[in-house]
Every structure is written in C-alpha cells, then in structure tokens.
Amino acid sequence: MTQPPTRRKRSPSTASTPAGTGTVTLGMVAKAAGVSPSTVSRILNGTATVSPEKREAIDEAIRTLGFRPNPVARGLAGGRTLSVGVLTQTINSPFYGEALRGIEDRLEVAGYIPIFVSGHWHEAEEHKAMEALMSRRVDGLIVLAGRMSNDALQAYSQQVPMVVVGRELHTDRIFSIDFDNFTGGLLATQHLIECGHRRIAFIAGDPLHKDALDREAGYRAALERAGIAFDSALVLNGDFTEAGGLMAVNRLLESGLAFSAIFAANDQTAIGAALGLYRRNVRVPDDVSLVGFDDLAPAKFSVPPLTTIRQSVYEIGSEAAAAMLDMLKGETPAAKLPPPELVARESTRRVAR
Amino acid sequence: MTQPPTRRKRSPSTASTPAGTGTVTLGMVAKAAGVSPSTVSRILNGTATVSPEKREAIDEAIRTLGFRPNPVARGLAGGRTLSVGVLTQTINSPFYGEALRGIEDRLEVAGYIPIFVSGHWHEAEEHKAMEALMSRRVDGLIVLAGRMSNDALQAYSQQVPMVVVGRELHTDRIFSIDFDNFTGGLLATQHLIECGHRRIAFIAGDPLHKDALDREAGYRAALERAGIAFDSALVLNGDFTEAGGLMAVNRLLESGLAFSAIFAANDQTAIGAALGLYRRNVRVPDDVSLVGFDDLAPAKFSVPPLTTIRQSVYEIGSEAAAAMLDMLKGETPAAKLPPPELVARESTRRVAR
DNA sequence: TTGTAGGCGTTATCAC
DNA sequence: GTGATAACGCCTACAA
C-alpha cells in the first residue's frame, strides 16, 4: 500500500538540468534567463540593484517555469528559514487558539510560516519545545505566557529575536505585548457597581499568570473608587478553567456569604460558574449577575449570553506577529492594541438598591 | 532596540572548526570521535552497521559536544525534513483544535514536528496552504476535511504519503481515517426515541461534509427502525456553527410544527440551538430535549450540560498521526478508533407517551 | 565496515 | 551591476 518515503533521488548529472522532475531550481531560472544564479538570487532578495532588462528576463523565466524558492535550501545557505516559532500552551485552547489565528494570518502575508509547539504549562515541556524550535532554525520566537523562567527566555532571546505575550518581561532583545488587563478588570467591576451591586465576588485566575493579577487589581481598584469595602472572603481561587469556575462558585454558595454579582477572571471561568449556579437553581441574571473576561466565541452563545470584557485576542496575536516581522526587518516594533471594552449581554442586570 | 536578524556568519575557514560559535556540527562530532562524517551519519540514521568501538566513541562525542542534527541540512541533503504538514481548516476550531493536539502529541514522540496551515474552508486558500507545505518539503501530509477536490488531493499524494480525515477518499497512496458517524447519529436518535420522543427535529451540518451526511443517515435509520415516519419538515439546514443552530431553531419555532426533541449535527449547533430555545422561553430539557454530537469540551459546561455523542477527536488526530508514521516507515497503517458512544447529560429527559 | 567525494538549492564573498 | 566560487550541514553512491 505504501511506498518507502524516498521521493527525490539524487541525480548524478549536473545541478541545473531542466529535464528533471518537477522541481524548478534557481539555477534553472538563471540558465533560462541567461544570467548567473547570483543575479537571480539578488532580485529575489532585493540584495542589489540589477539592470531592468535582466530583471525582466528573470521575472519572465520565473513565471514561465513556475519557480518557487526552496525555503529549506534558503535556510541552510542564508541562515533564514522564513519561519517563526510560536510557543503556546495548548494548541486547542479557546484563548490561545484565537491568538494563533492572528499570528498565522499576519505572518502569512509576509511569507513567513508559524511553527506551533505546545508547552502545556509545564516548564520541562516548554524547554523541549523551545529546543525543537531552535534546532529548526526558526528566525524568531513568539512566546505566549508560560512557566519558563525569565532568565531562560532571555537566554533564548540572545539567539533570535523574541516577542512575548502575557508576561512581565522587557529587555532590549525582547518585545513585550501587553493588553490592559487592569482597565478591563476595572470596567467589568464598574459595570456591576453601576448596576447597583455592592457585594461582588471575584473568581481569580491562575495566580502565576500576570493577566490574572492585573484583572484582580482592576477589580479592587473599582471597589475602592466606589467606596465599597474590599472583602477578601469574596475572592475565590480559580485557574482560568470551567472546572475551576464551577468549584469556586460551589465554595461561594456554601460559604453562605451574601453576594449579588460575580466577576470571573475569564470567560471559561464564568461559564463554569454559570453552570454551578444553574445546578443550585440560582438564576442568571435574575438572582446573580455574572461578568466574564475575553469575549471568546463561546461567550456569545452561552445561556444566557455572557456580559464580558472584549479583548481582541486575535489582534493580540496579529500584533505580536507584526512586531516580530518588524524585528526581523531590523526595525523597532510598535504594537497598538485596541483598549478593553465592556460588552453588555444578558448575564448582568440592574438591581434595586 | 533590535538587531539585524543575521546571526550565523559565514566563516571563511574550513567547515569543522570546533572553535566556532555554539553550533555543533556532525563534522565536529566525527573529528572528535576520530571517524569520518559518513560514519556518524550512519549511526544517526541506522543506515549501516558500525563497529561497537566507533559507535561508542561517536555516542560519547555526541553527548559531550551536545550535538543536535540540523533538520534544515538534513532536509536539503536527504530529502527528509522530519516534519509533516497538516492541512486544517481553522486553527482555533474547537473540533479540529482537539485533533491537532492528538496529532502533535503523537508525532512528537517520533521526533516529527507538525506544521499546521489553515484552509478556512476555501479551496484557493487550501491550495496556497498546500503549496506552502510542499515547498517546505514536508515528509507527509495529513488533511482534515476541506473543500479541495479529490483529484487535487490525489495529485499531492503522488508526491508525499497522505492521511485524510473526514472525507470519502481511499486510494493506494492515501490512508483514510473514518469515524463511524452513522452509528453516532443512530445512537443519538435512538436515545431520544427511548426517552419517548416521536417528533424529533434534526439540524443538519455542512452538506458538503461527509460527516454531516452520515450523521443524518443515522438519524433517518433510527426513525425507520422505530417505525416513525420521516418528516422532511423537521430537518433544518445548519452549518456546524452556533449561529447556524440558532437560526435553525428560530425557523423551527416559527414553523409552528410540533416537536419535543432536537438532534443537532454537532455540539456547536446544539449550543446555538439551546440559546435559541432559551431566548423564546422554551426550556431544555423540560420542554424540549436536545442532543449534540462530538462531546467537545464546551458540551460538558453548557447550561444545561449537553447530552451528546462522544467521538474521541483527540484520538482521531493521534491515530491519523500514527498512520502517517507507519506510512513513513513504509508500513501499512491500521487505525483503530473507539466506537461512538452516547454521553447522557442533562439536556435530555424522558417524557410520558 | 569505513572513508571519499560529490550534491541538495540557495546565499554571501570577492573579484571584475 | 554581474559572475565565479565557496560555503551552509548533512546524506549517499561509490570505492576501498
């Protein structure tokens, strides 16, 4: 059924025989255009100026032969592979998946290809993944959060340009993309306060994750500005997962504490919390208002649709990729993310004071 | 802030100078072990048997030098890149994302790396993506559904081994992984019938997708076996998305037709349908029972948790990868998927007849 | 069993 | 501006 994997056999003849298989090489283009391979390479990379006539002839040859440069050979010869490594945590995470799409789209138009590897929030795995990327000679690295130490990241950044997302790490070799999680947390909480809520619980995210901390800071700031006393008993541990949200809400309910609203550190947590409330016959939003964070796809179709903070995860990805492309060109990157924004849906409701 | 992307400079000296940068080459290993480069290559690839002493010396040299073969050079020289291309549709799809994880995990242990590209259900994009993969010299191709014609796929399969998922396409160069969607559709519908439902609506999936058709066939077969007349008015168009499910349910409700249960062609559709029902104050499962298909992560945490058909999407991915590895070894692949299984949660309920 | 000598397709260096 | 020529790091006939 199958055949051995060899597919291109070594031909003993000279390199640039146009008669060969389907592979069109740069050398063949050169021969067809009547120039040297170097000249072809030059126009391909814009390394030097070439005379209009030759340029014309080469363009034509490329077109008629259907030549496509071989990235593998390029990688060997020039040290550039036109690929950038992306260290993500779970390839199928609703959050990071969205960012990956942004990265992919943005890199593609520049002719770069992303190589995704997963760390699964596990330091050893992240190292393995990074090694795989480095041995693949990626031209750059985009790191989405993770557990690896800053020192380790900086070490890698000595070898290739690096963009990091969701971590506190700025150096002259590392460009950092930051979303304004603090303001997001502030907006979410303020929305609940404006709705008349005063007893607002918060289900935190992964405490090792900077985003989670910033969101919590926003929550506390909003309470303070409204003159509402902070009650640490209303802050529950979470881990950015649905299961974590569900368990947190169970603990909250069992505590017997009064509360009329919950701000969850991300949508997944909120969705888990919604299920927990449903199970105990607490209605959303009639009995308890609920706010999430991220505005991922599921938020729009949850029952009820979730009020949340929109942060354009897709754009975070595409901006990270854009920054990487800038660095690759030797330019100083500059990312501009849209500010966080409240999306009011049906999981929150105004209450009488 | 940034530096130009060049990082490995061409040294005018001979290739194998151990004094150079951090890059350890095969040649350096050879020199250190006192053998020729070919011998090192041989033990690396198991191409031939070498004397135990040399083997020992080489292993040692590899270890002390920390040598890691360069996949790029390997790709150029040997035609193998130790990478397999994966044509998916959307990198962040909850369904395919799960499969990607299976692929990634399975390939990793074999030293292969997946390169994911997205086609977005768009034939032209799929072709572009395929070209990108081919120019990258991937050793194999895993295709997850898509719009590209079978002929086009077969053409690619002439160049590299191929595994396809979710399509009707078997040739001697293509290995096809199939999940038993028919039985899944049957089980879902039979569950509703056993609960006492007789007016069961079906929200179909993408009609261009084989899985969708098989599931519908299962639905019809179950009705027939139970002696329930098929009513085409109870079959709604859908497209495997939440929005599609929502719109379908709206049409169903507006039609005024009697029904007490809905079988949706996938979980996403079911979740959209659940929202549509909620919006019109139709309660699940009290007024209408609802069944999905796939048992993706969101199903477990929807409100109410969704009764669905479990198909292990992760395993579909890992089996596809395993099959690819078999083909790469020149062996005949054999995939064994677990059978579909009903997962009864809280969105279905028994009714009085 | 082991070494030698190309060659993979492209880029970079250095003369012209 | 343009063309030889030598790498890049590895693999694989071929010879020994």
Side-chain angles (χ1 to χ4, degrees):
Chain A
M1 156 162 214
T2 57
Q3 298 179 11
T6 49
R7 62 177 198 275
R8 284 183 301 281
K9 41 182 171 291
R10 187 175 303 274
S11 84
S13 57
T14 45
S16 42
T17 52
T21 62
T23 344
V24 183
T25 72
L26 181 149
M28 291 163 58
V29 172
K31 185 165 292 185
V35 301
S36 78
S38 333
T39 307
V40 178
S41 174
R42 280 193 256 269
I43 64 161
L44 247 43
N45 303 286
T47 313
T49 43
V50 301
S51 73
E53 312 99 61
K54 306 219 170 193
R55 156 167 240 111
E56 186 86 8
I58 294 172
D59 279 347
E60 161 114 26
I62 289 180
R63 223 172 305 113
T64 61
L65 292 178
F67 167 71
R68 311 230 315 139
N70 179 338
V72 180
R74 251 136 108 116
L76 225 210
R80 295 165 359 103
T81 52
L82 293 183
S83 64
V84 344
V86 180
L87 176 63
T88 180
Q89 296 310 316
T90 332
I91 189 99
N92 63 333
S93 142
F95 182 86
Y96 289 112
E98 182 86 8
L100 298 187
R101 206 161 63 78
I103 291 174
E104 184 186 29
D105 288 352
R106 189 70 188 70
L107 287 184
E108 192 211 315
V109 301
Y112 278 79
I113 198 171
I115 297 186
F116 301 118
V117 296
S118 304
H120 301 115
W121 297 110
H122 197 296
E123 189 168 353
E125 286 193 57
E126 289 182 27
H127 269 106
K128 271 186 56 184
M130 281 294 234
E131 285 305 322
L133 291 177
M134 297 306 294
S135 81
R136 240 74 201 184
R137 300 296 193 274
V138 293
D139 296 339
L141 244 23
I142 297 179
V143 176
L144 305 180
R147 297 268 188 255
M148 187 178 293
S149 73
N150 281 353
D151 286 347
L153 285 181
Q154 289 196 47
Y156 284 118
S157 77
Q158 293 307 115
Q159 306 185 50
V160 286
M162 182 155 126
V163 172
V164 311
V165 174
R167 303 184 53 133
E168 189 77 87
L169 178 56
H170 299 257
T171 79
D172 54 340
R173 295 280 297 162
I174 299 178
F175 184 76
S176 212
I177 300 257
D178 279 314
F179 181 76
D180 190 351
N181 287 287
F182 173 83
T183 301
L186 193 74
L187 287 175
T189 313
Q190 284 177 339
H191 170 68
L192 290 169
I193 293 171
E194 282 160 16
C195 284
H197 298 281
R198 315 256 324 156
R199 296 286 297 170
I200 303 172
F202 176 68
I203 306 179
D206 180 347
L208 292 173
H209 203 305
K210 174 171 175 293
D211 291 357
L213 272 21
D214 290 349
R215 292 172 193 183
E216 177 164 356
Y219 160 77
R220 297 182 67 150
L223 293 184
E224 192 175 333
R225 292 188 195 176
I228 300 174
F230 172 74
D231 179 355
S232 66
L234 285 179
V235 174
L236 291 301
N237 291 327
D239 57 3
F240 277 156
T241 71
E242 291 89 347
L246 175 58
M247 291 191 300
V249 115
N250 284 342
R251 288 197 303 277
L252 182 59
L253 258 13
E254 280 157 14
S255 75
L257 288 167
F259 69 97
S260 67
I262 300 175
F263 168 34
N266 74 349
D267 287 350
Q268 287 175 265
T269 301
I271 284 169
L275 177 57
L277 295 169
Y278 167 82
R279 282 266 171 72
R280 306 237 184 175
N281 283 313
V282 178
R283 292 163 303 166
V284 175
D286 307 79
D287 302 325
V288 165
S289 283
L290 181 62
V291 179
F293 201 116
D294 287 341
D295 195 26
L296 298 181
K300 203 176 308 179
F301 291 98
S302 72
V303 170
L306 190 64
T307 293
T308 187
I309 299 297
R310 166 172 307 151
Q311 71 162 326
S312 176
V313 187
Y314 176 89
E315 289 193 45
I316 289 178
S318 68
E319 284 297 316
M324 174 52 70
L325 292 173
D326 284 342
M327 295 179 84
L328 256 14
K329 281 186 294 191
E331 295 168 5
T332 298
K336 58 237 155 285
L337 287 176
E341 192 182 338
L342 181 84
V343 182
R345 296 212 179 89
E346 301 162 39
S347 68
T348 48
R349 124 168 334 183
R350 187 167 298 282
V351 295
R353 292 285 299 281
Chain B
M1 157 161 210
T2 58
Q3 298 179 13
T6 49
R7 62 178 197 274
R8 283 184 302 281
K9 41 179 170 293
R10 189 176 301 275
S11 84
S13 56
T14 44
S16 43
T17 52
T21 60
T23 346
V24 183
T25 73
L26 182 149
M28 291 163 57
V29 173
K31 185 165 292 184
V35 301
S36 80
S38 10
T39 308
V40 179
S41 174
R42 280 191 258 269
I43 64 160
L44 246 43
N45 302 287
T47 313
T49 42
V50 301
S51 73
E53 311 99 62
K54 306 219 169 191
R55 158 169 238 111
E56 186 87 7
I58 293 172
D59 280 346
E60 161 116 25
I62 289 180
R63 223 172 305 114
T64 62
L65 292 177
F67 167 71
R68 313 230 314 141
N70 179 338
V72 179
R74 250 137 108 115
L76 226 209
R80 294 165 2 101
T81 52
L82 293 184
S83 64
V84 344
V86 180
L87 177 62
T88 180
Q89 295 310 317
T90 330
I91 189 98
N92 64 332
S93 141
F95 183 86
Y96 289 113
E98 183 85 9
L100 297 187
R101 206 159 64 78
I103 292 174
E104 185 186 29
D105 289 353
R106 190 68 187 73
L107 287 184
E108 192 211 313
V109 301
Y112 279 79
I113 198 169
I115 297 186
F116 301 118
V117 295
S118 304
H120 301 116
W121 298 109
H122 196 296
E123 189 168 354
E125 285 193 57
E126 287 181 27
H127 269 107
K128 271 186 55 184
M130 281 294 235
E131 286 305 323
L133 291 177
M134 297 306 294
S135 82
R136 239 77 199 186
R137 301 296 192 274
V138 294
D139 296 339
L141 243 24
I142 297 179
V143 176
L144 305 180
R147 297 269 187 254
M148 186 179 292
S149 73
N150 281 353
D151 286 348
L153 284 181
Q154 288 196 47
Y156 285 118
S157 77
Q158 292 307 115
Q159 306 185 50
V160 287
M162 183 154 125
V163 172
V164 311
V165 174
R167 303 184 52 133
E168 189 77 86
L169 177 56
H170 299 257
T171 78
D172 55 339
R173 295 281 297 164
I174 299 178
F175 184 76
S176 213
I177 301 258
D178 280 313
F179 181 76
D180 190 352
N181 287 287
F182 174 83
T183 301
L186 193 75
L187 287 176
T189 313
Q190 284 178 338
H191 170 68
L192 290 169
I193 293 171
E194 282 162 15
C195 284
H197 299 281
R198 313 241 346 140
R199 297 286 297 170
I200 302 172
F202 177 67
I203 306 179
D206 180 347
L208 292 172
H209 202 305
K210 174 171 175 292
D211 291 357
L213 271 22
D214 289 350
R215 291 172 194 184
E216 178 164 356
Y219 161 76
R220 297 182 67 149
L223 293 183
E224 191 176 333
R225 292 188 194 176
I228 299 175
F230 171 74
D231 179 354
S232 65
L234 285 179
V235 174
L236 292 301
N237 291 328
D239 58 3
F240 276 157
T241 71
E242 291 89 347
L246 175 58
M247 292 190 300
V249 115
N250 284 341
R251 289 197 303 277
L252 181 58
L253 258 13
E254 280 157 16
S255 74
L257 287 167
F259 70 95
S260 68
I262 300 175
F263 168 34
N266 74 350
D267 286 349
Q268 287 175 263
T269 300
I271 284 169
L275 178 56
L277 296 169
Y278 167 81
R279 282 265 171 72
R280 306 237 184 175
N281 283 314
V282 179
R283 291 164 307 166
V284 176
D286 306 79
D287 302 325
V288 165
S289 282
L290 180 62
V291 179
F293 202 118
D294 286 341
D295 195 26
L296 299 181
K300 203 176 309 180
F301 291 98
S302 71
V303 170
L306 190 64
T307 293
T308 187
I309 298 297
R310 165 171 308 151
Q311 70 163 326
S312 176
V313 186
Y314 177 88
E315 288 192 44
I316 289 178
S318 67
E319 284 298 315
M324 173 52 68
L325 292 173
D326 284 342
M327 295 179 86
L328 255 14
K329 281 185 295 191
E331 295 169 6
T332 298
K336 57 240 157 282
L337 287 177
E341 192 183 335
L342 180 85
V343 182
R345 296 213 178 89
E346 301 162 39
S347 67
T348 48
R349 122 168 335 183
R350 186 167 300 281
V351 294
R353 290 284 298 281

